[in-house]
Amino acid sequence: MILECCVDFQLINGACKPCIGRHGVNCTSPCRFGYFGFGCQQRCNCSDRQGCDRHTGCFDLADGKCAKSYSGEILGVVGVLFGIICLSVAGALTRRSKLYYGNFV
């Protein structure tokens, strides 16, 4: 006899276990963003300083579980913009000097 588990349960070691952080037949679908727990039936109501874990709910970002710094990305963008501005200024000065001095430079 083949044991078939209900929706939001999966067969593990011959027993039907609840889906935590997942839902559907055999727990095949992860919780969508903002939901967690058994069958993804609970909704996270987290603050701006918290994230939502699909298994346990809200957690503090300061705990380091999922804290992310964007400083590297910001510095990279600033560097690229600075480079573009420098090239533009250099190009404009080169064109200006050719107009002023002609082809002697």
Coordinates of all heavy atoms in Angstrom, one line a residue:
M1 N 0.8 -1.2 0.0 CA 0.0 0.0 0.0 C 0.9 1.2 0.0 O 1.8 1.4 0.8 CB -0.9 0.0 1.3 CG -1.8 1.2 1.3 SD -2.9 1.0 2.7 CE -2.6 2.4 3.6
I2 N 0.6 2.2 -0.9 CA 1.4 3.4 -1.0 C 0.6 4.5 -0.2 O -0.6 4.8 -0.4 CB 1.5 3.9 -2.5 CG1 2.3 2.8 -3.3 CG2 2.2 5.2 -2.6 CD1 2.4 3.0 -4.7
L3 N 1.3 5.1 0.7 CA 0.8 6.2 1.5 C 0.8 7.5 0.7 O 1.9 7.9 0.1 CB 1.6 6.3 2.8 CG 1.1 7.3 3.8 CD1 -0.3 7.0 4.3 CD2 2.0 7.4 5.0
E4 N -0.3 8.2 0.6 CA -0.3 9.5 -0.1 C -0.7 10.6 1.0 O -1.6 10.5 1.7 CB -1.4 9.5 -1.1 CG -1.4 10.7 -2.0 CD -2.4 10.6 -3.1 OE1 -2.5 9.5 -3.7 OE2 -3.1 11.6 -3.4
C5 N 0.2 11.6 1.0 CA 0.0 12.7 2.0 C -1.0 13.7 1.5 O -1.1 13.9 0.3 CB 1.3 13.3 2.3 SG 2.5 12.2 3.1
C6 N -1.6 14.4 2.4 CA -2.5 15.5 2.0 C -1.7 16.7 1.5 O -0.5 16.7 1.7 CB -3.3 16.0 3.3 SG -4.4 14.7 3.9
V7 N -2.4 17.7 0.9 CA -1.7 18.9 0.5 C -1.1 19.6 1.7 O -1.6 19.6 2.8 CB -2.7 19.8 -0.2 CG1 -2.1 21.2 -0.6 CG2 -3.3 19.2 -1.5
D8 N 0.1 20.2 1.5 CA 0.9 20.8 2.5 C 1.5 19.9 3.5 O 1.9 20.2 4.6 CB 0.1 21.9 3.2 CG -0.3 23.1 2.4 OD1 0.4 23.3 1.3 OD2 -1.3 23.8 2.7
F9 N 1.7 18.6 3.0 CA 2.4 17.6 3.8 C 3.3 16.8 2.8 O 2.9 16.7 1.6 CB 1.5 16.6 4.5 CG 0.8 17.2 5.7 CD1 -0.4 17.9 5.5 CD2 1.3 17.1 7.0 CE1 -1.1 18.5 6.6 CE2 0.6 17.6 8.1 CZ -0.6 18.3 7.9
Q10 N 4.4 16.2 3.3 CA 5.2 15.4 2.4 C 5.6 14.1 3.2 O 5.7 14.1 4.4 CB 6.4 16.2 2.0 CG 7.4 16.5 3.1 CD 8.6 17.3 2.6 OE1 8.9 17.2 1.4 NE2 9.2 18.1 3.4
L11 N 5.8 13.1 2.4 CA 6.2 11.8 3.0 C 7.7 11.8 3.3 O 8.5 11.9 2.4 CB 5.8 10.7 1.9 CG 6.0 9.3 2.4 CD1 5.0 9.0 3.6 CD2 5.7 8.3 1.3
I12 N 8.0 11.6 4.6 CA 9.4 11.5 5.0 C 9.5 10.3 5.9 O 8.8 10.2 7.0 CB 9.8 12.8 5.7 CG1 9.8 14.0 4.8 CG2 11.3 12.6 6.3 CD1 10.1 15.3 5.5
N13 N 10.3 9.3 5.6 CA 10.5 8.1 6.4 C 9.2 7.4 6.7 O 9.0 7.0 7.9 CB 11.3 8.4 7.6 CG 12.7 8.9 7.3 OD1 13.3 8.5 6.4 ND2 13.2 9.8 8.2
G14 N 8.3 7.3 5.8 CA 7.1 6.6 6.0 C 6.0 7.3 6.7 O 5.0 6.8 7.0
A15 N 6.2 8.6 7.0 CA 5.2 9.4 7.7 C 5.0 10.8 7.0 O 5.9 11.3 6.4 CB 5.7 9.7 9.1
C16 N 3.8 11.3 7.1 CA 3.5 12.6 6.5 C 3.9 13.7 7.4 O 3.4 13.7 8.5 CB 2.0 12.6 6.1 SG 1.5 11.5 4.8
K17 N 4.8 14.5 7.0 CA 5.3 15.6 7.8 C 4.8 16.9 7.1 O 4.7 17.1 5.9 CB 6.8 15.6 7.8 CG 7.4 14.3 8.3 CD 7.3 14.2 9.7 CE 8.0 12.9 10.2 NZ 8.0 12.8 11.6
P18 N 4.5 17.9 8.0 CA 4.0 19.2 7.5 C 5.0 20.0 6.7 O 6.2 19.9 7.0 CB 3.6 20.0 8.8 CG 4.4 19.4 9.8 CD 4.6 17.9 9.4
C19 N 4.6 20.8 5.7 CA 5.4 21.7 4.9 C 5.7 22.9 5.8 O 4.7 23.6 6.2 CB 4.7 22.1 3.7 SG 4.3 20.8 2.5
I20 N 6.9 23.2 6.1 CA 7.3 24.5 6.8 C 8.1 25.3 5.8 O 9.2 24.8 5.4 CB 8.0 24.2 8.1 CG1 7.3 23.2 9.0 CG2 8.4 25.5 8.8 CD1 5.9 23.7 9.5
G21 N 7.6 26.4 5.4 CA 8.3 27.3 4.5 C 8.1 26.9 3.0 O 8.6 27.4 2.1
R22 N 7.2 25.9 2.8 CA 6.8 25.5 1.5 C 5.3 25.1 1.5 O 4.7 25.0 2.6 CB 7.6 24.3 1.1 CG 9.1 24.5 1.1 CD 9.9 23.4 0.6 NE 9.9 23.2 -0.9 CZ 10.5 24.0 -1.7 NH1 11.3 25.0 -1.3 NH2 10.5 23.8 -3.0
H23 N 4.7 24.9 0.4 CA 3.3 24.5 0.3 C 3.0 23.6 -0.9 O 3.9 23.5 -1.8 CB 2.4 25.7 0.4 CG 2.5 26.6 -0.9 ND1 1.6 26.5 -1.9 CD2 3.4 27.6 -1.2 CE1 1.9 27.3 -2.8 NE2 3.0 28.0 -2.4
G24 N 1.9 23.1 -1.0 CA 1.5 22.3 -2.2 C 1.6 20.8 -2.0 O 2.0 20.4 -0.9
V25 N 1.3 20.1 -3.0 CA 1.5 18.6 -3.0 C 2.9 18.3 -2.8 O 3.8 18.8 -3.6 CB 0.9 18.0 -4.3 CG1 1.1 16.5 -4.3 CG2 -0.6 18.3 -4.4
N26 N 3.3 17.5 -1.8 CA 4.7 17.1 -1.5 C 5.6 18.3 -1.3 O 6.8 18.2 -1.5 CB 5.2 16.2 -2.6 CG 4.6 14.9 -2.7 OD1 4.2 14.3 -1.7 ND2 4.3 14.4 -3.9
C27 N 5.0 19.4 -0.8 CA 5.8 20.6 -0.5 C 6.7 21.1 -1.6 O 7.8 21.5 -1.4 CB 6.6 20.3 0.8 SG 5.7 19.8 2.2
T28 N 6.1 21.1 -2.8 CA 7.0 21.4 -4.0 C 7.1 22.9 -4.2 O 8.0 23.3 -5.0 CB 6.3 20.8 -5.3 OG1 5.0 21.2 -5.4 CG2 6.4 19.3 -5.2
S29 N 6.3 23.8 -3.6 CA 6.4 25.2 -3.9 C 6.9 26.0 -2.7 O 6.3 25.8 -1.6 CB 5.1 25.8 -4.3 OG 4.6 25.1 -5.5
P30 N 7.9 26.8 -2.8 CA 8.3 27.7 -1.7 C 7.3 28.8 -1.4 O 6.5 29.1 -2.3 CB 9.7 28.2 -2.1 CG 9.6 28.2 -3.6 CD 8.7 27.0 -4.0
C31 N 7.3 29.3 -0.2 CA 6.4 30.4 0.2 C 6.7 31.6 -0.7 O 7.9 31.9 -1.0 CB 6.6 30.8 1.6 SG 6.1 29.5 2.8
R32 N 5.7 32.3 -1.1 CA 6.0 33.5 -1.8 C 6.4 34.6 -0.8 O 6.2 34.4 0.4 CB 4.8 34.0 -2.6 CG 3.6 34.3 -1.8 CD 2.4 34.6 -2.7 NE 1.2 34.8 -1.9 CZ 0.3 35.7 -2.1 NH1 0.3 36.4 -3.2 NH2 -0.7 35.8 -1.3
F33 N 7.1 35.6 -1.3 CA 7.6 36.7 -0.4 C 6.6 37.2 0.5 O 5.5 37.6 0.1 CB 8.2 37.8 -1.2 CG 8.9 38.9 -0.4 CD1 10.1 38.6 0.2 CD2 8.2 40.0 -0.1 CE1 10.7 39.6 1.0 CE2 8.8 41.0 0.7 CZ 10.0 40.8 1.3
G34 N 6.9 37.3 1.8 CA 6.0 37.9 2.8 C 5.2 36.8 3.5 O 4.4 37.2 4.4
Y35 N 5.3 35.6 3.2 CA 4.6 34.5 3.9 C 5.5 33.5 4.4 O 6.6 33.3 3.9 CB 3.6 33.9 2.9 CG 2.4 34.8 2.6 CD1 2.6 35.7 1.6 CD2 1.3 34.7 3.3 CE1 1.5 36.6 1.3 CE2 0.2 35.6 3.0 CZ 0.4 36.5 2.0 OH -0.7 37.4 1.7
F36 N 5.1 32.8 5.5 CA 6.0 31.8 6.1 C 5.2 30.7 6.9 O 4.0 30.8 7.0 CB 7.0 32.5 7.1 CG 6.3 32.9 8.4 CD1 6.4 32.2 9.5 CD2 5.6 34.1 8.4 CE1 5.9 32.6 10.7 CE2 5.1 34.6 9.6 CZ 5.2 33.8 10.8
G37 N 5.9 29.7 7.4 CA 5.4 28.7 8.2 C 4.7 27.6 7.5 O 4.9 27.3 6.4
F38 N 3.8 26.8 8.3 CA 3.1 25.7 7.8 C 2.2 26.1 6.6 O 1.4 26.9 6.7 CB 2.3 25.0 8.9 CG 1.3 24.0 8.3 CD1 1.8 22.8 7.8 CD2 0.0 24.2 8.3 CE1 0.9 21.9 7.3 CE2 -0.9 23.3 7.8 CZ -0.4 22.1 7.3
G39 N 2.5 25.5 5.4 CA 1.7 25.7 4.3 C 1.7 27.2 3.8 O 0.9 27.6 3.0
C40 N 2.7 28.0 4.3 CA 2.8 29.4 3.9 C 1.6 30.2 4.3 O 1.2 31.1 3.6 CB 3.1 29.5 2.4 SG 4.6 28.6 1.9
Q41 N 0.9 29.8 5.4 CA -0.4 30.4 5.7 C -0.2 31.6 6.6 O -1.2 32.4 6.9 CB -1.3 29.4 6.4 CG -1.6 28.2 5.5 CD -2.4 27.1 6.2 OE1 -2.8 27.3 7.4 NE2 -2.6 26.0 5.5
Q42 N 1.0 31.9 7.2 CA 1.2 33.0 8.0 C 1.9 34.1 7.2 O 2.7 33.9 6.4 CB 2.0 32.6 9.2 CG 1.3 31.6 10.1 CD 2.2 31.2 11.3 OE1 3.1 30.4 11.0 NE2 2.0 31.7 12.4
R43 N 1.5 35.4 7.5 CA 2.0 36.5 6.8 C 3.0 37.3 7.7 O 2.8 37.5 8.9 CB 0.9 37.5 6.4 CG 1.4 38.6 5.6 CD 0.3 39.5 5.1 NE 0.8 40.6 4.4 CZ 0.6 40.8 3.1 NH1 -0.2 40.1 2.5 NH2 1.2 41.9 2.5
C44 N 4.2 37.6 7.2 CA 5.1 38.4 7.9 C 4.7 39.9 8.0 O 4.3 40.4 7.0 CB 6.5 38.4 7.2 SG 7.4 36.9 7.3
N45 N 4.7 40.4 9.1 CA 4.4 41.9 9.3 C 5.7 42.4 10.0 O 5.7 42.8 11.1 CB 3.2 42.1 10.2 CG 1.9 41.7 9.5 OD1 1.7 42.0 8.4 ND2 1.1 41.0 10.2
C46 N 6.7 42.5 9.2 CA 8.0 42.9 9.7 C 8.3 44.4 9.5 O 7.7 45.0 8.7 CB 9.1 42.2 8.9 SG 8.9 40.4 8.8
S47 N 9.1 44.9 10.4 CA 9.5 46.3 10.3 C 10.5 46.5 9.2 O 11.0 45.5 8.6 CB 10.1 46.8 11.7 OG 11.4 46.2 11.8
D48 N 10.9 47.8 9.0 CA 11.9 48.1 7.9 C 13.3 47.5 8.3 O 14.1 47.3 7.4 CB 12.1 49.6 7.7 CG 10.8 50.2 7.1 OD1 10.1 49.5 6.5 OD2 10.7 51.4 7.2
R49 N 13.5 47.2 9.5 CA 14.8 46.7 10.0 C 14.8 45.1 10.1 O 15.6 44.6 10.7 CB 15.2 47.3 11.3 CG 15.4 48.8 11.2 CD 15.9 49.4 12.4 NE 16.2 50.8 12.2 CZ 16.1 51.7 13.1 NH1 15.7 51.4 14.3 NH2 16.4 52.9 12.8
Q50 N 13.7 44.5 9.6 CA 13.6 43.1 9.6 C 13.4 42.5 8.3 O 12.9 43.2 7.3 CB 12.4 42.7 10.5 CG 12.6 43.1 12.0 CD 11.3 42.7 12.8 OE1 10.2 43.0 12.4 NE2 11.5 42.0 13.9
G51 N 13.7 41.2 8.1 CA 13.5 40.5 6.9 C 12.5 39.4 7.3 O 12.1 39.1 8.4
C52 N 12.0 38.7 6.2 CA 11.0 37.6 6.4 C 11.6 36.3 6.0 O 11.9 36.1 4.8 CB 9.7 37.9 5.7 SG 8.5 36.6 5.8
D53 N 11.8 35.4 6.9 CA 12.3 34.0 6.6 C 11.1 33.2 6.4 O 10.1 33.1 7.2 CB 13.1 33.5 7.8 CG 13.6 32.1 7.6 OD1 14.7 32.0 7.0 OD2 12.9 31.1 7.9
R54 N 11.1 32.4 5.3 CA 9.9 31.6 4.9 C 9.6 30.5 5.9 O 8.6 29.9 5.9 CB 10.0 31.1 3.5 CG 11.2 30.1 3.3 CD 11.3 29.8 1.8 NE 12.4 29.0 1.5 CZ 12.4 27.8 1.2 NH1 11.3 27.1 1.2 NH2 13.5 27.1 1.0
H55 N 10.6 30.1 6.8 CA 10.4 29.1 7.8 C 9.9 29.6 9.1 O 9.0 29.1 9.7 CB 11.7 28.3 8.0 CG 12.2 27.6 6.8 ND1 13.1 28.1 5.9 CD2 11.7 26.4 6.2 CE1 13.3 27.2 4.9 NE2 12.5 26.2 5.1
T56 N 10.5 30.7 9.6 CA 10.3 31.2 10.9 C 9.6 32.6 11.0 O 9.2 33.0 12.1 CB 11.6 31.3 11.7 OG1 12.5 32.2 11.0 CG2 12.3 29.9 11.8
G57 N 9.5 33.3 10.0 CA 8.9 34.7 10.0 C 10.0 35.8 10.1 O 11.1 35.7 9.6
C58 N 9.6 36.8 10.8 CA 10.5 38.0 10.9 C 11.7 37.8 11.7 O 11.8 37.0 12.7 CB 9.7 39.2 11.6 SG 8.3 39.7 10.7
F59 N 12.8 38.4 11.2 CA 14.1 38.3 11.9 C 14.8 39.7 11.8 O 14.5 40.4 10.8 CB 15.0 37.2 11.4 CG 15.4 37.4 10.0 CD1 16.6 38.1 9.7 CD2 14.6 36.9 9.0 CE1 16.9 38.2 8.3 CE2 15.0 37.0 7.6 CZ 16.1 37.7 7.3
D60 N 15.6 40.1 12.7 CA 16.3 41.3 12.7 C 17.5 41.2 11.7 O 18.3 40.3 11.8 CB 16.9 41.7 14.1 CG 15.8 42.1 15.0 OD1 14.7 42.6 14.6 OD2 15.9 41.9 16.2
L61 N 17.6 42.2 10.8 CA 18.7 42.2 9.8 C 20.0 42.5 10.5 O 21.0 42.0 10.0 CB 18.4 43.3 8.8 CG 17.2 43.0 7.8 CD1 17.0 44.3 6.9 CD2 17.5 41.8 7.0
A62 N 20.0 43.2 11.6 CA 21.2 43.5 12.4 C 21.9 42.2 12.9 O 23.1 42.2 13.2 CB 21.0 44.4 13.5
D63 N 21.2 41.1 13.0 CA 21.7 39.8 13.5 C 22.7 39.2 12.5 O 23.4 38.2 12.8 CB 20.6 38.8 13.8 CG 19.8 39.2 15.0 OD1 20.3 40.1 15.8 OD2 18.7 38.7 15.2
G64 N 22.8 39.8 11.3 CA 23.7 39.3 10.3 C 23.2 38.2 9.4 O 23.9 37.7 8.6
K65 N 22.0 37.7 9.7 CA 21.5 36.6 8.9 C 21.3 36.9 7.4 O 21.7 36.1 6.6 CB 20.1 36.2 9.4 CG 19.5 35.0 8.7 CD 18.3 34.5 9.3 CE 17.7 33.3 8.6 NZ 16.5 32.8 9.2
C66 N 20.9 38.2 7.2 CA 20.7 38.5 5.8 C 21.0 40.0 5.6 O 20.5 40.6 4.6 CB 19.3 38.2 5.4 SG 19.0 38.3 3.6
A67 N 21.9 40.6 6.4 CA 22.2 42.0 6.2 C 23.1 42.2 5.0 O 23.9 41.3 4.7 CB 22.9 42.5 7.5
K68 N 22.8 43.2 4.2 CA 23.6 43.4 3.0 C 23.9 44.9 2.9 O 23.1 45.7 3.1 CB 22.7 43.0 1.8 CG 23.5 43.2 0.5 CD 22.8 42.6 -0.7 CE 23.7 42.8 -1.9 NZ 23.1 42.3 -3.1
S69 N 25.1 45.1 2.5 CA 25.6 46.4 2.4 C 25.7 46.7 0.9 O 26.2 45.9 0.1 CB 27.0 46.6 3.0 OG 27.6 47.8 2.6
Y70 N 25.3 47.9 0.5 CA 25.3 48.3 -0.9 C 26.5 49.2 -1.2 O 26.6 49.8 -2.3 CB 24.0 48.9 -1.3 CG 22.9 47.9 -1.4 CD1 22.0 47.9 -0.3 CD2 22.7 47.1 -2.4 CE1 20.9 46.9 -0.3 CE2 21.7 46.2 -2.5 CZ 20.8 46.1 -1.4 OH 19.8 45.2 -1.5
S71 N 27.4 49.4 -0.2 CA 28.4 50.4 -0.4 C 29.3 50.1 -1.6 O 29.8 51.0 -2.3 CB 29.3 50.5 0.9 OG 29.8 49.3 1.2
G72 N 29.6 48.8 -1.8 CA 30.5 48.5 -2.9 C 29.8 48.8 -4.3 O 30.5 49.3 -5.2
E73 N 28.5 48.5 -4.4 CA 27.8 48.8 -5.6 C 27.7 50.3 -5.8 O 27.9 50.8 -6.9 CB 26.4 48.2 -5.6 CG 26.4 46.7 -5.7 CD 26.4 46.0 -4.3 OE1 26.7 46.7 -3.3 OE2 26.1 44.8 -4.3
I74 N 27.5 51.1 -4.8 CA 27.4 52.5 -4.9 C 28.7 53.1 -5.3 O 28.8 54.0 -6.2 CB 26.9 53.2 -3.5 CG1 25.5 52.7 -3.3 CG2 27.1 54.7 -3.6 CD1 24.9 53.1 -1.9
L75 N 29.8 52.7 -4.7 CA 31.2 53.2 -5.1 C 31.5 52.8 -6.5 O 32.1 53.6 -7.2 CB 32.2 52.6 -4.1 CG 32.2 53.2 -2.7 CD1 33.3 52.5 -1.9 CD2 32.5 54.7 -2.7
G76 N 31.1 51.7 -7.0 CA 31.3 51.3 -8.4 C 30.6 52.2 -9.3 O 31.1 52.7 -10.3
V77 N 29.3 52.5 -9.1 CA 28.5 53.4 -9.9 C 29.1 54.8 -9.9 O 29.3 55.5 -11.0 CB 27.1 53.4 -9.5 CG1 26.3 54.5 -10.2 CG2 26.4 52.1 -9.7
V78 N 29.5 55.3 -8.7 CA 30.1 56.6 -8.6 C 31.4 56.7 -9.4 O 31.7 57.6 -10.2 CB 30.4 57.0 -7.2 CG1 31.2 58.3 -7.1 CG2 29.0 57.2 -6.4
G79 N 32.2 55.6 -9.4 CA 33.5 55.5 -10.1 C 33.2 55.6 -11.6 O 33.9 56.3 -12.4
V80 N 32.2 54.9 -12.1 CA 31.9 54.8 -13.5 C 31.4 56.2 -14.0 O 31.9 56.7 -15.0 CB 30.8 53.8 -13.8 CG1 30.3 53.9 -15.2 CG2 31.4 52.4 -13.7
L81 N 30.6 56.9 -13.2 CA 30.1 58.2 -13.5 C 31.2 59.2 -13.6 O 31.3 60.1 -14.4 CB 29.0 58.7 -12.6 CG 27.7 57.9 -12.7 CD1 26.7 58.4 -11.6 CD2 27.1 58.1 -14.0
F82 N 32.1 59.1 -12.6 CA 33.3 60.0 -12.5 C 34.2 59.8 -13.8 O 34.6 60.8 -14.4 CB 34.1 59.8 -11.3 CG 35.3 60.7 -11.1 CD1 35.1 62.0 -10.8 CD2 36.6 60.2 -11.3 CE1 36.2 62.9 -10.6 CE2 37.6 61.1 -11.2 CZ 37.4 62.4 -10.8
G83 N 34.4 58.6 -14.2 CA 35.2 58.3 -15.4 C 34.5 58.9 -16.6 O 35.2 59.4 -17.5
I84 N 33.2 58.7 -16.8 CA 32.5 59.3 -17.9 C 32.7 60.8 -18.0 O 32.9 61.4 -19.0 CB 31.0 58.9 -17.9 CG1 30.9 57.4 -18.2 CG2 30.2 59.7 -18.9 CD1 29.6 56.8 -18.0
I85 N 32.5 61.4 -16.8 CA 32.7 62.9 -16.7 C 34.1 63.3 -17.1 O 34.3 64.3 -17.9 CB 32.3 63.4 -15.3 CG1 30.8 63.3 -15.1 CG2 32.7 64.9 -15.2 CD1 30.3 63.5 -13.7
C86 N 35.1 62.6 -16.6 CA 36.5 62.9 -17.0 C 36.8 62.8 -18.5 O 37.4 63.7 -19.1 CB 37.4 62.1 -16.2 SG 37.5 62.5 -14.4
L87 N 36.3 61.7 -19.1 CA 36.5 61.5 -20.5 C 35.8 62.6 -21.3 O 36.3 63.1 -22.3 CB 36.0 60.1 -20.9 CG 36.8 59.0 -20.4 CD1 36.2 57.7 -20.8 CD2 38.2 59.0 -21.1
S88 N 34.6 63.0 -20.8 CA 33.8 64.1 -21.6 C 34.6 65.4 -21.5 O 34.7 66.1 -22.5 CB 32.4 64.2 -21.0 OG 31.7 63.0 -21.1
V89 N 35.1 65.7 -20.3 CA 35.8 67.0 -20.2 C 37.1 66.9 -21.0 O 37.4 67.9 -21.7 CB 36.1 67.2 -18.7 CG1 37.1 68.4 -18.5 CG2 34.8 67.5 -17.9
A90 N 37.8 65.8 -21.0 CA 39.0 65.7 -21.8 C 38.7 65.8 -23.2 O 39.5 66.5 -24.0 CB 39.7 64.4 -21.5
G91 N 37.7 65.2 -23.7 CA 37.3 65.3 -25.1 C 36.9 66.8 -25.5 O 37.3 67.2 -26.6
A92 N 36.2 67.4 -24.6 CA 35.8 68.8 -24.9 C 37.1 69.7 -24.9 O 37.2 70.6 -25.8 CB 34.8 69.3 -23.9
L93 N 38.0 69.5 -24.0 CA 39.2 70.3 -24.0 C 40.1 70.1 -25.3 O 40.7 71.0 -25.8 CB 40.0 70.1 -22.7 CG 39.4 70.6 -21.4 CD1 40.2 70.1 -20.2 CD2 39.3 72.1 -21.5
T94 N 40.1 68.8 -25.7 CA 40.9 68.5 -26.9 C 40.3 69.2 -28.1 O 41.0 69.8 -28.9 CB 40.9 67.0 -27.1 OG1 41.5 66.4 -25.9 CG2 41.7 66.6 -28.3
R95 N 39.0 69.1 -28.3 CA 38.3 69.8 -29.4 C 38.5 71.3 -29.3 O 38.8 71.9 -30.4 CB 36.8 69.4 -29.4 CG 36.5 68.1 -29.9 CD 35.0 67.9 -30.2 NE 34.3 68.0 -28.9 CZ 34.1 67.0 -28.1 NH1 34.6 65.8 -28.3 NH2 33.4 67.2 -27.0
R96 N 38.5 71.8 -28.1 CA 38.6 73.3 -28.0 C 40.0 73.7 -28.4 O 40.2 74.7 -29.0 CB 38.3 73.7 -26.6 CG 38.3 75.2 -26.3 CD 37.9 75.5 -25.0 NE 38.0 77.0 -24.8 CZ 38.1 77.5 -23.7 NH1 38.2 76.8 -22.6 NH2 38.2 78.8 -23.6
S97 N 41.0 72.9 -27.9 CA 42.4 73.3 -28.2 C 42.7 73.2 -29.7 O 43.4 74.0 -30.3 CB 43.4 72.5 -27.4 OG 43.3 71.1 -27.8
K98 N 42.1 72.3 -30.4 CA 42.3 72.1 -31.9 C 41.7 73.3 -32.6 O 42.2 73.8 -33.6 CB 41.7 70.8 -32.4 CG 42.6 69.6 -32.0 CD 42.0 68.4 -32.7 CE 43.0 67.2 -32.3 NZ 42.5 65.9 -32.9
L99 N 40.5 73.8 -32.1 CA 39.9 74.9 -32.7 C 40.7 76.2 -32.5 O 40.8 77.0 -33.4 CB 38.5 75.1 -32.2 CG 37.4 74.1 -32.6 CD1 36.1 74.3 -31.8 CD2 37.1 74.2 -34.1
Y100 N 41.3 76.3 -31.3 CA 42.0 77.5 -30.9 C 43.4 77.6 -31.6 O 43.8 78.6 -32.2 CB 42.1 77.6 -29.4 CG 42.8 78.9 -28.9 CD1 42.1 80.1 -29.0 CD2 44.1 78.9 -28.5 CE1 42.7 81.3 -28.6 CE2 44.7 80.1 -28.0 CZ 44.0 81.2 -28.1 OH 44.5 82.4 -27.7
Y101 N 44.1 76.5 -31.5 CA 45.5 76.4 -32.0 C 45.6 75.8 -33.5 O 46.6 75.8 -34.0 CB 46.4 75.6 -31.1 CG 46.6 76.3 -29.8 CD1 46.0 75.8 -28.6 CD2 47.4 77.4 -29.7 CE1 46.2 76.4 -27.4 CE2 47.6 78.0 -28.5 CZ 47.0 77.5 -27.3 OH 47.1 78.1 -26.1
G102 N 44.5 75.3 -33.9 CA 44.5 74.7 -35.2 C 45.2 73.3 -35.1 O 45.1 72.6 -34.1
N103 N 45.8 72.8 -36.1 CA 46.4 71.5 -36.1 C 47.9 71.5 -35.7 O 48.6 70.6 -35.9 CB 46.3 70.9 -37.5 CG 44.9 70.5 -37.9 OD1 44.2 70.1 -37.0 ND2 44.6 70.6 -39.1
F104 N 48.3 72.6 -35.1 CA 49.7 72.8 -34.7 C 50.0 72.0 -33.4 O 51.1 71.8 -33.0 CB 50.1 74.2 -34.5 CG 50.0 75.0 -35.8 CD1 49.1 75.9 -36.0 CD2 50.9 74.7 -36.9 CE1 49.0 76.6 -37.2 CE2 50.8 75.4 -38.1 CZ 49.8 76.3 -38.2
V105 N 49.0 71.7 -32.6 CA 49.2 71.1 -31.3 C 49.3 69.6 -31.4 O 48.8 68.9 -32.2 CB 48.0 71.5 -30.4 CG1 48.2 70.8 -29.0 CG2 47.9 72.9 -30.2

